[in-house]
Amino acid sequence: MDEDKKLVAMDPSILEKTMKTNFFGVYHVIRSFIPIMEKQAMAELLMFPQNMAK
């Protein structure tokens, strides 16, 4: 996503792609681990910001 573009000037498909990756991607990963975590006595889910991967 272009950090310099204002929201009103941005192509909606770019925002949609960004939301699919950064929000819904995390959502689906968390949902996939919930059944496993519920079976554990203790469990933690660690999430790392995108900029830490660089």
Side-chain angles (χ1 to χ4, degrees):
M1 198 159 111
D2 189 352
E3 295 176 12
D4 296 330
K5 273 196 172 179
K6 292 184 179 183
L7 184 61
V8 295
M10 186 183 309
D11 180 350
S13 66
I14 294 171
L15 180 59
E16 184 177 343
K17 181 180 176 186
T18 302
M19 289 298 294
K20 281 182 179 179
T21 302
N22 295 334
F23 178 79
F24 290 107
V26 172
Y27 169 78
H28 291 295
V29 169
I30 291 171
R31 278 189 52 108
S32 69
F33 278 94
I34 288 175
I36 298 167
M37 293 176 72
E38 287 177 333
K39 292 178 184 176
Q40 303 292 322
M42 180 189 289
E44 293 181 11
L45 183 62
L46 302 176
M47 303 300 293
F48 294 96
Q50 182 180 5
N51 59 354
M52 288 186 69
K54 294 179 182 181

